[in-house]
Structure formats: C-alpha cells, structure tokens
C-alpha cells in the first residue's frame, strides 16, 4: 500500500508546481468547452513567440531551445490543427515565417479569458487579501529564482 502524502507537507516549489499543473488542467478543460480541446499546454510555449512576431522555424527552435526538427514538428501539428500558418518572407521566397491564424488568435483570446475566469474563481475561494498576498509572494519568488525576466520577454521555456 502506498503512503499518503499530505499537500501541506510539500515544499513550496513542489506545491507551486502542482498548483500550476492543476490550474493548467482547469484552463484546458475550459478551452475544450469553447471548442479548443485539441490544444495542449505545450502549444503555449510556441504561441508565446507568435503573439507579436512571425519567426522562422529556425528562430522558433532557438527560442524554444530545441532542434529545428522538433520545432518543425510542433509547427506542423499546429498548422494541421489550424492555429498557425507558414507565410513566405517578403524578402526571400525560400524563407517561411510562422504566424498565428485567425483560429490561433481566437484560441489565444479564449485562453486569456479562461485564465481570468480561473483567477476569479480562485480569488472567490480564498480571502481576497490572502490571495493578493500569495500572488505577490509568488511573483517575488519567481523574480528571486530568475524566472521573471523570461516572463517579461515572453521567453518561458519548457522544463528540461
């Protein structure tokens, strides 16, 4: 028989990670209810680089710290699902840039709304003052651990 684990006994990093996983699952369930059930959390790592730019697959691979083959596979999947498209470069027709489609932009808007709804639900579940304090502490810890700058740059990478 497995030993039970009390979440209150977890270290802060593990607890924050598991809260993040649960929050991600809740957002994905909300997205599925809005017709975006084919999106995975890993797609968000690609989307973040397409919000304000149209990188090449090579640029995307470098930003995601992965092989060009891996980035190409991720782009091909998102292209097949209708979230991204490859556009010719205005300077060189041999170069293709990756861009969000209208469906990709709709998914982005839907994800932002889903996260807002989740945050509202969690805020109601807790004392609003305690929620704000917890949020501030997490932001401070993210900064202390060197992750805040990646968020500022929209350059959060998947864990290794």
């Amino acid at each position: 028989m497995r030993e039970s684990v009390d979440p209150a006994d977890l270290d802060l990093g593990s607890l924050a990670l598991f809260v993040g996983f649960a929050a991600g699952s809740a957002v994905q369930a909300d997205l599925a209810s809005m017709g975006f059930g084919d999106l995975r959390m890993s797609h968000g790592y690609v989307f973040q680089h397409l919000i304000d730019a149209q990188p090449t697959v090579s640029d995307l691979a470098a930003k995601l710290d992965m092989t060009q083959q891996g980035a190409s596979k991720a782009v091909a999947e998102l292209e097949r699902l209708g979230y991204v498209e490859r556009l010719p470069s205005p300077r060189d027709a041999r170069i293709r840039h990756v861009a969000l489609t209208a469906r990709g932009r709709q998914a982005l808007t839907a994800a932002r709304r889903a996260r807002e709804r989740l945050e509202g639900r969690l805020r109601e579940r807790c004392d609003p003052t305690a929620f704000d304090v917890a949020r501030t502490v997490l932001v401070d810890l993210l900064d202390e651990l060197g992750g805040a700058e990646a968020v500022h740059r929209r350059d959060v990478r998947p864990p290794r």
Side-chain angles (χ1 to χ4, degrees):
M1 186 169 182
R2 291 190 174 164
E3 182 181 335
S4 176
V5 176
D6 183 350
D9 293 337
L10 293 173
D11 63 280
L12 186 65
S14 295
L15 189 58
L17 178 67
F18 298 154
V19 168
F21 285 165
S25 292
V27 167
Q28 282 193 274
D30 198 357
L31 282 171
S33 75
M34 293 185 281
F36 299 103
D38 51 1
L39 283 174
R40 295 192 319 266
M41 188 181 287
S42 62
H43 293 144
Y45 293 109
V46 176
F47 269 60
Q48 72 179 335
H49 297 293
L50 304 178
I51 293 170
D52 297 321
Q54 295 181 350
T56 64
V57 170
S58 296
D59 293 338
L60 203 50
K63 289 176 181 296
L64 294 170
D65 194 25
M66 63 189 318
T67 65
Q68 187 167 344
Q69 181 181 9
S72 185
K73 184 177 175 182
V75 168
E77 179 184 17
L78 287 168
E79 192 172 31
R80 183 176 44 77
L81 295 171
Y83 295 107
V84 304
E85 60 186 337
R86 296 178 208 223
L87 304 172
S89 171
R91 293 186 198 115
D92 186 341
R94 296 170 296 171
I95 298 173
R96 310 288 263 164
H97 291 271
V98 182
L100 289 172
T101 61
R103 180 161 172 75
R105 294 260 173 221
Q106 291 167 352
L108 186 63
T109 298
R112 287 175 173 161
R113 287 184 182 143
R115 286 192 302 273
E116 287 172 9
R117 281 191 294 276
L118 176 61
E119 183 132 341
R121 188 178 110 211
L122 296 176
R123 184 181 220 17
E124 286 178 11
R125 165 74 168 77
C126 302
D127 171 81
T129 302
F131 184 87
D132 290 343
V133 168
R135 196 173 204 298
T136 299
V137 168
L138 288 172
V139 168
D140 287 347
L141 294 175
L142 183 65
D143 186 50
E144 174 63 27
L145 295 171
E149 190 53 40
V151 172
H152 285 295
R153 292 188 318 266
R154 290 192 195 274
D155 192 23
V156 177
R157 296 178 183 211
R160 290 187 158 254

